[in-house]
Amino acid sequence: MADGRIRVGVVGANPDRGWAARAHIPALRALPGYEITAVGTSRAASARAAADRFGVPHAFTDAAELAAHPEVDLVVITVKVPAHDALIRAALGAGKHVYCEWPLALTTAEAEGLLRLARDAGVRHAVGLQARFSPAVRYARDLVADGYVGRVTSVNVYAARGKGGTGEIPGFAAYTLDPSNGAGTLEVGAGHTLDVLEHLAGDVTALSAELAVQRTAYTVAGTDETVKVTSPDQIAVAAVLAGGATAVVHVHDAKVTAARTQIEIAGTDGDLALVSPGPGAAAGVQIGALALRGARGHGSPREELRIPDEYLWVPEPARGVEVLNVAQFYARFADDIRTGGRSVPGFDAGLRVHRLLDAVRLSAETGTRREVAQP
């Protein structure tokens, strides 16, 4: 680290589109503890363009060279899921800290191998389950732990995303419609949502699930090309949580109107509701601002709860709709790197979600209730 700042190399830093340019790079540039020193893409022209646009000294087309560079302390991976395994291995082989976007890997077996390698490398590792760092989510979690709702009896989750609602899909996103790419509604939308459910109310111990494809084809935007959909766009899960509460989760894409997320936690003394009322509502629980509402006592009306300032710890430039949760994550990750703490989800948390999704798939395939192995 130079001057106490963590030097970052971003793999997948396409300057024209992509999650790195929209969220990771703005977050890193806004936080004083980081310095972006390298960017990488698959083509020399786009790598150089990214370096020029973001004012970064080093540009690469080879991720292993980026990871090995002496001015890189942390490698951030924001490319398509099938490439994650090889890129993480290159970063770990270079002895660098790693932040990989969710999903961590293409398969659970890959995730298991990456966790073993990360532990052996002795570096800090993180997976981008950034919804945990929403100020509303963190405050709700503390309220639940402090007994605001009493004993949690049930959780109802509805997450309707706007993706595909027009019948078209951008060309760069068409790959998400094929389950072999590991980035569909189940992996991304349900993965983030189920992780938040467990973060708020406890681990899932058993579940029953149904998966369906309701929109069987899309037109690629700006073309006449039709893409067949084989990845489920409807996920319905009924679950039991470790504390005995029941949970019902419905995640789906292609909501034509009023795409939104709502998580309602009911208990013996009251309830809490996380809702997505504004910008980013159509993208899922991991993106955009959430509001928090609560009520205590029989028949009490639900009221807006002001989120204390202590739950928002990043500077104003890092508070954009797509940037905020990622920036909050990075701020805590910097603390972990410097102190050896474990305040952000590592590859072990990613493996947990992969195993949870395996249980969802197996339940849907077999029509049976599945137990979920606990950590």
Side-chain angles (χ1 to χ4, degrees), residues 43 74 115 138-139 152 203 217 301 315:
R43 295 182 297 110
L74 165 67
L115 176 58
R138 296 188 75 83
Y139 185 37
V152 175
D203 288 344

Side-chain angles (χ1 to χ4, degrees), residues 8-292:
V8 184
V10 181
V11 180
N14 189 304
D16 299 318
R17 59 173 172 79
W19 188 236
R22 286 159 42 205
H24 285 269
I25 290 173
L28 289 164
R29 294 174 80 181
L31 296 172
Y34 289 97
E35 177 187 6
I36 305 174
T37 54
V39 290
T41 70
S42 59
R43 295 182 297 110
S46 61
R48 189 67 261 164
D52 291 343
R53 178 173 300 183
F54 302 125
V56 175
H58 305 294
F60 295 91
T61 56
D62 185 328
E65 291 181 5
L66 179 150
H69 197 280
E71 294 179 16
V72 171
D73 305 308
L74 165 67
V75 177
V76 173
I77 296 169
T78 67
V79 298
K80 293 179 180 178
V81 179
H84 285 187
D85 184 77
L87 296 174
I88 293 171
R89 287 173 181 271
L92 294 175
K96 303 301 173 69
H97 307 300
V98 183
Y99 179 141
C100 183
E101 258 304 337
W102 173 257
L104 174 60
L106 195 57
T107 66
T108 299
E110 280 188 0
E112 289 171 342
L114 292 172
L115 176 58
R116 287 194 297 270
L117 284 175
R119 285 174 170 168
D120 290 344
V123 298
R124 310 308 301 176
H125 47 89
V127 64
L129 295 166
Q130 72 268 10
R132 298 187 184 196
F133 294 87
S134 157
V137 168
R138 296 188 75 83
Y139 185 37
R141 186 172 190 259
D142 285 349
L143 288 175
V144 170
D146 290 342
Y148 182 93
V149 302
R151 180 177 63 83
V152 175
T153 55
S154 66
V155 185
N156 286 273
V157 183
Y158 179 68
R161 307 197 308 172
K163 174 185 171 184
T166 64
E168 289 189 338
I169 193 163
F172 66 82
Y175 84 104
T176 66
L177 306 178
D178 181 345
S180 67
N181 291 317
T185 308
L186 174 62
E187 293 81 13
V188 177
H192 280 293
T193 303
L194 289 169
D195 181 66
V196 166
L197 166 65
E198 291 198 322
H199 190 62
L200 288 167
D203 288 344
V204 173
T205 60
L207 60 82
S208 299
E210 294 287 343
L211 303 176
V213 178
Q214 294 294 348
R215 294 232 179 181
T216 57
Y218 283 98
T219 299
V220 176
T223 75
D224 294 327
E225 181 185 357
T226 298
V227 180
K228 183 180 179 181
V229 181
T230 52
S231 182
D233 56 14
Q234 298 277 339
I235 297 95
V237 179
V240 178
L241 304 183
T246 57
V248 177
V249 181
H250 181 201
V251 179
H252 70 95
D253 272 347
K255 187 72 163 61
V256 176
T257 63
R260 67 196 186 280
T261 295
Q262 177 158 320
I263 302 172
E264 184 171 312
I265 305 167
T268 53
D269 297 333
D271 69 51
L272 289 166
L274 288 149
V275 296
S276 57
V285 70
Q286 73 275 19
I287 299 175
L290 295 172
L292 182 61

